[in-house]
Amino acid sequence: MTIKQALIRATEILTANNIEDPRLEAEILLRHILKTGRVQLYLDFDQEISPEQDEKFWGLIKRRLNGEPTAYITGHREFYGLDFYVDPSVLIPRPESELLVEKALELAQNRPVSTIAEVGTGCGAIAISLALNRPQTKIYATDTSAAALKVALFNCQKHGVANRICLLAGDMLEPLPEPVDLIVANLPYVRESELPQISTLNFEPSLALNGGADGLEKIRRLGTQISGKLCPGGSLLLEIGQKQRKAVTTFWHNLFPSAEIEVTADLSGIDRVVSLTLPLNPF
Ligand code: GLN
């Protein structure tokens, strides 16, 4: 079978099984087996693949049909133009979370930000993207999961920022040794009743998705920890889910009545990032 034939066949099978982006997924899995780039794959379109490669490829297609995400099968996921190692101990970074990075970089350009903390870092994608774009900033990244912190450390080393990101084990802001200028958090915010709708539920850690009955349990817990962790004039950036804008902004407004609160929608028009900025002078 040629590369072209294998791709056509795999795309048909993935399509028939309602897998999103079937052609792209087939290419990624075949490239993983052939250890080749996209351009080379196309240049070699009419080359035969060996029976051994063929067998391996169909093995991966079977795993994908079984619901396993491509990112776990290949161990790679791109985020903010960077390649991250992922495994089932961490959530697979979502494209919409790039908005958190964009917003954080925008904020850091408009006011002095010398320290940032990322809460629930998982594979480290957000903290590392920030570190690479803010070479002078000190970054803390926390997670309760020891397995996730191992993955984050691996990615910090891969991107040469292990000495710039301080990884801390613990619950949200608790392990932070000092107040910071900016807190960035993509906490679990999926409502418990909606968890079964997440197609990767059987593979991704539910700890990273489950936000309790209304999805906001973790966000509220962050509120109980924030005192003394955010500098005057500092900002908090939170990722939220669909229809959570009102509840989340009301919660933070009640906690910090004098803070400035802003909501930004993602590319699909869904309110995605809540940003809160404390006044420089609390009085
Ligand atoms: N956006 C993710 C999803 O719907 C949820 C991420 C989260 O809970 N922080 O799959």
Side-chain angles (χ1 to χ4, degrees):
M1 191 179 283
T2 64
I3 286 183
K4 186 175 171 186
Q5 288 165 337
L7 277 179
I8 291 173
R9 177 112 182 81
T11 306
E12 279 168 5
I13 294 173
L14 293 173
T15 307
N17 285 274
N18 300 319
I19 303 285
E20 260 181 64
D21 303 323
R23 171 66 187 218
L24 181 68
E25 299 251 322
E27 277 184 22
I28 294 173
L29 292 173
L30 188 55
R31 279 172 43 200
H32 183 64
I33 297 292
L34 303 178
K35 298 186 177 47
T36 181
R38 189 147 196 238
V39 174
Q40 198 57 44
L41 190 81
Y42 275 74
L43 290 174
D44 294 344
F45 242 31
D46 295 321
Q47 303 241 330
E48 290 285 323
I49 57 175
S50 72
E52 199 184 296
Q53 288 168 331
D54 191 55
E55 199 186 313
K56 276 192 191 159
F57 179 50
W58 295 110
L60 298 194
I61 294 288
K62 257 192 212 143
R63 283 170 65 183
R64 186 66 194 94
L65 292 179
N66 198 28
E68 193 171 347
T70 297
Y72 289 156
I73 298 175
T74 61
H76 291 271
R77 176 65 160 210
E78 198 216 278
F79 180 84
Y80 214 71
L82 301 163
D83 178 56
F84 292 96
Y85 166 73
V86 289
D87 72 20
S89 58
V90 295
L91 192 79
I92 300 165
R94 310 286 202 259
E96 59 266 28
S97 301
E98 292 181 346
L99 186 59
L100 264 185
V101 177
E102 270 165 35
K103 281 277 146 198
L105 294 175
E106 196 182 296
L107 260 169
Q109 229 166 29
N110 297 331
R111 61 179 67 110
V113 170
S114 56
T115 47
I116 300 178
E118 197 220 341
V119 176
T121 194
C123 74
I126 292 173
I128 293 168
S129 304
L130 292 174
L132 289 171
N133 285 282
R134 298 276 312 166
Q136 307 301 327
T137 308
K138 179 170 183 186
I139 299 182
Y140 296 102
T142 77
D143 209 292
T144 38
S145 157
L149 284 173
K150 263 194 190 168
V151 173
L153 177 61
F154 179 86
N155 280 319
C156 283
Q157 286 162 344
K158 175 180 158 87
H159 289 289
V161 291
N163 58 343
R164 300 219 1 254
I165 297 183
C166 177
L167 295 171
L168 298 167
D171 185 40
M172 300 195 195
L173 296 170
E174 266 175 18
L176 264 195
E178 57 172 340
V180 294
D181 300 311
L182 175 59
I183 294 171
V184 181
N186 176 16
L187 295 172
Y189 56 68
V190 180
R191 294 170 192 87
E192 214 153 10
S193 59
E194 289 173 1
L195 278 174
Q197 290 170 23
I198 306 268
S199 61
T200 50
L201 183 69
N202 293 335
F203 295 89
E204 286 191 298
S206 69
L207 181 73
L209 291 163
N210 190 346
D214 65 351
L216 305 177
E217 258 172 33
K218 303 282 162 53
I219 290 179
R220 280 191 296 266
R221 204 162 82 234
L222 185 76
T224 67
Q225 295 188 6
I226 204 155
S227 165
K229 303 288 186 181
L230 196 53
C231 296
S235 299
L236 164 70
L237 290 178
L238 273 180
E239 182 172 318
I240 59 165
Q242 243 165 338
K243 301 202 185 91
Q244 293 180 336
R245 171 194 182 128
K246 183 99 184 38
V248 173
T249 52
T250 306
F251 172 77
W252 288 98
H253 176 72
N254 289 339
L255 208 57
F256 296 108
S258 54
E260 203 181 293
I261 296 179
E262 188 192 284
V263 180
T264 311
D266 65 18
L267 290 174
S268 329
I270 298 169
D271 288 327
R272 189 60 71 188
V273 173
V274 172
S275 71
L276 167 146
T277 301
L278 296 182
L280 258 176
N281 183 345
F283 303 106

